[in-house]
Amino acid sequence: MCEYALDHGWKSYRGHQIFQWLYRNRVFDIDEMTNVSKETREILKKDFIVNPLELIKKQVSHDGTTKFLFKTSDGALLESVMMVFDYGRSVCVSSQVGCNMGCAFCASGLTKKKRDLTSGEMVAQVMYVQKELDKDNLRLSHIVVMGTGEPFDNYDNVMNFLATVNHDRGLGIGSRHITISTCGIVPRIYDFANEHTQYNLAISLHAPNDELRDQLMPVNHAYPLKELMEAIQYYGKENNRRLTFEYILLKGVNDHPEHAKQLSKLLHGMNAYVNLIPYNAVDEKGFKSVTHDEAMVFYDLLMKNYVRCTIRKEHGNDIDAACGQLRIKEIKKEGI
Ligand code: SAH
């Protein structure tokens, strides 16, 4: 959670003590670190900020999904979402303020990227949510880097953040309980593959051919499907992992039976798994979601063609659930 890493030449036990206060006792105030001398605390206070985020708004859905809108110390707004599943509680973390990827359907890209989030600001999102859960003796079990921003456009900070929350002395959230989602920045997929972490990787595919993907996701101009598929297959082989693809079903756009056929062809022979995502309508974008029955038709077609898939359950559809929607609303209101 610290904003700067400064070398004070202290003994390593001091670091362990501070980690304990931050991640086990979860203090936000350095003065609460009572077994750390006053002098040391003063130095820490001068050099570090424990929690750089201020909570601006919190929305709770009937299904327990909770949205947090935070403000950074330089006045930027960002969102995190906590979701409740049968298997535990997951937090969806933002990796940037705004996003430059410009996906046609996404609320995040309505404002261009203002800046990358620091790893401290990403850790702080998780710690804030965990601190809220502490009130009910509950624990976060999963992290998904699927909030606003493109994690592979802020690679080093994201990897640093995950190393902290994954660390035994950090929150200790298991690698297999951590998922990074990317729109397909090919060089970073190779970097990630070569790191051999056990984090899960999900690829936002959303279209089974270049023509349509070019229209929906401008990143496809830079890294078309052939290159993307080669990179993801390299990752799969190198890490012996199943390949996960996300596919938002957009009514009349990418949900035609022909698209299901093309998709199964594209994934043929791969150890792939497709997560079909109901679209959270974004007012400014004009795309519509399919009905559950329509999603089932697409699902059946994929299954018939030997592509394993699931339909993602919707969460928090009574609050501003789509990525970045709460943030956009606030920006419009405040004119930030
Ligand atoms: N930039 C990364 C991570 C952030 S978006 C990526 O593209 O993967 C996380 C996922 O949510 C992506 O699959 C994205 O395409 C999807 N998404 C964006 N807007 C959405 C919306 N309105 N409804 C449903 N899913 C959406």
Side-chain angles (χ1 to χ4, degrees):
M1 281 228 239
C2 298
E3 288 298 284
Y4 328 95
L6 295 183
D7 185 359
H8 287 287
W10 291 335
K11 293 266 187 310
S12 61
Y13 79 87
R14 179 76 73 220
H16 294 167
Q17 259 180 343
I18 294 168
F19 249 61
Q20 181 92 20
W21 282 112
L22 292 176
Y23 299 105
R24 292 289 179 274
N25 302 329
R26 309 200 244 279
V27 301
F28 275 178
D29 182 352
I30 290 173
D31 276 329
E32 285 179 52
M33 301 182 179
T34 46
N35 64 355
V36 176
S37 73
K38 188 153 191 319
E39 194 192 348
T40 306
R41 278 187 267 145
E42 288 310 316
I43 297 174
L44 286 175
K45 280 198 284 192
K46 198 159 65 61
D47 290 340
F48 299 103
I49 304 161
V50 177
N51 173 29
L53 302 179
E54 181 196 344
L55 183 71
I56 298 294
K57 201 179 248 170
K58 186 173 141 185
Q59 289 183 337
V60 185
S61 158
H62 59 78
D63 64 10
T65 302
T66 308
K67 277 215 146 196
F68 299 85
L69 182 71
F70 294 113
K71 197 183 244 173
T72 61
S73 40
D74 60 348
L77 293 175
L78 61 103
E79 269 178 66
S80 317
V81 188
M82 195 277 296
M83 287 161 292
V84 185
F85 294 92
D86 304 339
Y87 54 76
R89 285 176 171 71
S90 177
V91 61
C92 177
V93 173
S94 289
S95 56
Q96 296 177 318
V97 179
C99 183
N100 276 347
M101 297 301 121
C103 296
F105 45 81
C106 180
S108 300
L110 287 172
T111 57
K112 284 264 165 279
K113 179 177 96 171
K114 251 191 177 162
R115 68 172 173 86
D116 290 330
L117 289 176
T118 64
S119 48
E121 285 164 337
M122 288 181 263
V123 173
Q125 295 174 56
V126 176
M127 293 310 292
Y128 201 103
V129 173
Q130 178 56 63
K131 230 170 132 74
E132 289 269 309
L133 291 175
D134 283 341
K135 293 176 193 160
D136 299 315
N137 261 328
L138 297 168
R139 190 173 178 272
L140 272 175
S141 54
H142 291 69
I143 294 179
V144 293
V145 191
M146 291 190 183
T148 300
E150 168 49 46
F152 279 1
D153 184 36
N154 184 16
Y155 187 85
D156 291 343
N157 286 344
V158 167
M159 295 308 277
N160 201 356
F161 147 60
L162 292 178
T164 308
V165 285
N166 173 237
H167 198 281
D168 286 348
R169 292 184 197 270
L171 271 186
I173 294 184
S175 309
R176 298 250 171 174
H177 286 192
I178 292 174
T179 301
I180 307 175
S181 175
T182 179
C183 63
I185 314 251
V186 163
R188 296 291 87 72
I189 295 176
Y190 284 106
D191 290 343
F192 181 73
N194 291 332
E195 297 214 29
H196 298 107
T197 67
Q198 294 295 310
Y199 308 141
N200 304 301
L201 182 65
I203 303 287
S204 295
L205 195 62
H206 308 325
N209 63 62
D210 278 322
E211 199 192 337
L212 185 55
R213 200 164 190 268
D214 278 348
Q215 286 167 28
L216 294 177
M217 303 177 72
V219 69
N220 199 65
H221 294 291
Y223 306 113
L225 280 173
K226 186 171 175 299
E227 285 179 39
L228 177 61
M229 287 300 153
E230 276 168 16
I232 178 93
Q233 278 178 295
Y234 174 80
Y235 157 79
K237 246 190 252 136
E238 196 63 26
N239 292 268
N240 197 18
R241 299 300 293 267
R242 187 179 71 176
L243 309 174
T244 304
F245 295 93
E246 294 159 278
Y247 194 99
I248 303 175
L249 285 167
L250 300 164
K251 198 181 177 81
V253 176
N254 65 356
D255 63 335
H256 197 269
E258 188 54 37
H259 294 130
K261 272 188 219 142
Q262 288 173 4
L263 187 56
S264 38
K265 222 166 157 188
L266 187 70
L267 304 180
H268 179 74
M270 287 189 199
N271 181 14
Y273 166 86
V274 177
N275 204 344
L276 295 171
I277 307 177
Y279 181 57
N280 277 313
V282 176
D283 294 346
E284 293 83 347
K285 295 294 189 182
F287 290 101
K288 285 200 185 71
S289 185
V290 298
T291 62
H292 183 72
D293 287 350
E294 287 162 342
M296 279 310 292
V297 173
F298 202 85
Y299 170 93
D300 285 340
L301 270 172
L302 287 184
M303 292 295 261
K304 231 189 251 163
N305 286 290
Y306 310 104
V307 177
R308 276 168 298 164
C309 55
T310 50
I311 300 178
R312 185 185 286 173
K313 196 170 160 250
E314 268 187 280
H315 285 264
N317 51 9
D318 56 332
I319 56 178
D320 300 296
C323 311
Q325 265 186 345
L326 182 58
R327 174 173 172 267
I328 295 295
K329 245 191 204 171
E330 196 68 18
I331 289 174
K332 279 189 183 160
K333 207 170 76 193
E334 292 194 7
I336 299 172

Coordinates of all heavy atoms in Angstrom, one line a residue, residues 105-107 145-147 149-151 181-183 204 206 246 248 277-280 282 322-323, ligand 1:
F105 N -18.3 -1.0 -26.9 CA -19.4 -1.3 -26.1 C -19.2 -0.8 -24.6 O -20.1 -0.9 -23.8 CB -19.7 -2.8 -26.1 CG -18.4 -3.6 -26.0 CD1 -17.8 -3.8 -24.7 CD2 -17.7 -4.0 -27.1 CE1 -16.6 -4.4 -24.6 CE2 -16.5 -4.7 -27.0 CZ -16.0 -4.9 -25.7
C106 N -18.0 -0.4 -24.3 CA -17.6 -0.3 -22.9 C -17.6 1.1 -22.3 O -17.2 2.1 -23.0 CB -16.1 -0.8 -22.8 SG -15.5 -0.8 -21.1
A107 N -18.1 1.2 -21.1 CA -18.3 2.5 -20.5 C -16.9 3.1 -20.0 O -16.7 4.3 -20.0 CB -19.2 2.4 -19.2
V145 N -8.8 -8.7 -12.1 CA -8.4 -7.4 -12.6 C -9.2 -7.1 -13.8 O -8.7 -7.4 -14.9 CB -6.8 -7.3 -12.8 CG1 -6.4 -5.8 -13.1 CG2 -6.1 -7.8 -11.7
M146 N -10.4 -6.7 -13.6 CA -11.4 -6.6 -14.7 C -12.2 -5.3 -14.6 O -13.2 -5.1 -15.2 CB -12.4 -7.7 -14.7 CG -11.9 -9.1 -15.0 SD -13.2 -10.2 -15.3 CE -12.3 -11.7 -15.6
G147 N -11.7 -4.3 -13.7 CA -12.3 -3.0 -13.6 C -11.9 -2.1 -14.7 O -11.4 -2.6 -15.8
G149 N -9.8 0.1 -17.1 CA -8.4 0.1 -17.5 C -8.0 -1.2 -18.2 O -8.7 -2.3 -18.1
E150 N -6.8 -1.2 -18.8 CA -6.2 -2.4 -19.5 C -5.0 -2.8 -18.7 O -4.0 -2.1 -18.7 CB -5.9 -2.1 -20.9 CG -5.0 -3.1 -21.6 CD -5.5 -4.5 -21.5 OE1 -6.7 -4.8 -21.6 OE2 -4.7 -5.4 -21.2
P151 N -5.1 -3.9 -17.9 CA -4.0 -4.2 -17.0 C -2.7 -4.4 -17.7 O -1.6 -4.1 -17.2 CB -4.4 -5.5 -16.3 CG -5.7 -5.9 -17.0 CD -6.2 -4.8 -17.7
S181 N -7.6 -9.9 -16.8 CA -8.3 -9.9 -18.1 C -7.7 -8.9 -19.0 O -7.5 -7.8 -18.6 CB -9.8 -9.6 -17.8 OG -10.5 -9.5 -19.0
T182 N -7.4 -9.3 -20.2 CA -6.8 -8.4 -21.2 C -7.6 -8.4 -22.5 O -8.2 -9.4 -22.9 CB -5.3 -8.7 -21.5 OG1 -4.8 -7.8 -22.4 CG2 -5.1 -10.1 -22.0
C183 N -7.5 -7.2 -23.1 CA -8.2 -7.1 -24.4 C -7.3 -7.7 -25.5 O -7.7 -7.8 -26.7 CB -8.6 -5.7 -24.7 SG -7.1 -4.6 -24.9
S204 N -10.3 -11.1 -23.5 CA -11.6 -10.5 -24.0 C -11.6 -10.6 -25.5 O -10.9 -9.9 -26.2 CB -11.7 -9.0 -23.6 OG -11.7 -8.9 -22.2
H206 N -14.8 -11.4 -27.8 CA -16.0 -10.6 -28.2 C -16.3 -10.6 -29.7 O -17.4 -10.1 -30.1 CB -15.9 -9.2 -27.7 CG -15.7 -9.0 -26.2 ND1 -16.1 -9.9 -25.3 CD2 -15.0 -8.1 -25.6 CE1 -15.7 -9.5 -24.1 NE2 -15.0 -8.4 -24.2
E246 N -13.4 -14.4 -23.0 CA -14.7 -13.8 -22.6 C -15.4 -13.3 -23.9 O -14.7 -12.8 -24.8 CB -14.4 -12.5 -21.7 CG -13.8 -12.9 -20.4 CD -13.1 -11.7 -19.8 OE1 -11.9 -11.5 -20.1 OE2 -13.7 -11.0 -18.9
I248 N -18.8 -11.2 -24.8 CA -20.1 -10.5 -24.5 C -21.1 -10.7 -25.6 O -20.7 -10.5 -26.8 CB -19.9 -9.0 -24.4 CG1 -18.8 -8.6 -23.4 CG2 -21.2 -8.3 -24.0 CD1 -18.5 -7.1 -23.3
I277 N -20.9 -13.6 -21.7 CA -21.2 -12.5 -20.8 C -22.5 -11.7 -21.2 O -22.5 -11.2 -22.3 CB -20.0 -11.5 -20.6 CG1 -18.7 -12.3 -20.3 CG2 -20.3 -10.5 -19.6 CD1 -17.5 -11.4 -20.3
P278 N -23.5 -11.7 -20.3 CA -24.6 -10.8 -20.6 C -24.1 -9.4 -20.6 O -23.4 -9.0 -19.8 CB -25.6 -11.1 -19.5 CG -25.0 -12.0 -18.6 CD -23.5 -12.3 -19.0
Y279 N -24.6 -8.6 -21.6 CA -24.1 -7.2 -21.7 C -24.9 -6.3 -20.7 O -26.1 -6.3 -20.6 CB -24.3 -6.7 -23.1 CG -23.9 -5.3 -23.4 CD1 -22.6 -4.9 -23.2 CD2 -24.8 -4.3 -23.9 CE1 -22.1 -3.6 -23.4 CE2 -24.3 -3.0 -24.1 CZ -23.0 -2.7 -23.9 OH -22.6 -1.4 -24.1
N280 N -24.1 -5.5 -20.0 CA -24.7 -4.5 -19.1 C -24.8 -3.2 -20.0 O -23.8 -2.6 -20.3 CB -23.8 -4.1 -18.0 CG -23.9 -5.1 -16.8 OD1 -25.0 -5.4 -16.4 ND2 -22.8 -5.6 -16.3
V282 N -25.0 0.2 -21.7 CA -24.4 1.5 -21.4 C -25.1 2.5 -22.2 O -25.1 2.4 -23.4 CB -22.9 1.5 -21.8 CG1 -22.2 2.8 -21.5 CG2 -22.1 0.4 -21.0
A322 N -22.4 -1.9 -15.0 CA -21.3 -2.0 -16.0 C -20.1 -1.3 -15.6 O -20.1 -0.3 -15.0 CB -21.9 -1.5 -17.3
C323 N -19.0 -1.9 -16.1 CA -17.6 -1.4 -15.8 C -17.6 0.1 -16.0 O -17.9 0.6 -17.1 CB -16.6 -2.0 -16.7 SG -16.6 -3.7 -16.8
Ligands
SAH1 N1 -9.3 -4.2 -20.3 C1 -9.5 -5.5 -19.8 C2 -10.1 -5.5 -18.5 C3 -11.2 -4.6 -18.2 S1 -12.8 -5.0 -18.9 C4 -10.2 -6.3 -20.9 O1 -10.6 -5.8 -21.9 O2 -10.3 -7.5 -20.6 C5 -13.3 -6.5 -18.2 C6 -14.3 -7.3 -19.1 O3 -15.6 -6.6 -19.0 C7 -13.9 -7.4 -20.5 O4 -14.2 -8.6 -21.0 C8 -14.8 -6.3 -21.1 O5 -14.9 -6.5 -22.5 C9 -16.1 -6.5 -20.3 N2 -17.1 -5.4 -20.4 C10 -16.8 -4.1 -20.7 N3 -18.0 -3.4 -20.7 C11 -19.0 -4.3 -20.5 C12 -20.4 -4.2 -20.3 N4 -21.0 -3.0 -20.5 N5 -21.1 -5.3 -20.0 C13 -20.4 -6.5 -19.9 N6 -19.1 -6.7 -19.9 C14 -18.4 -5.6 -20.2

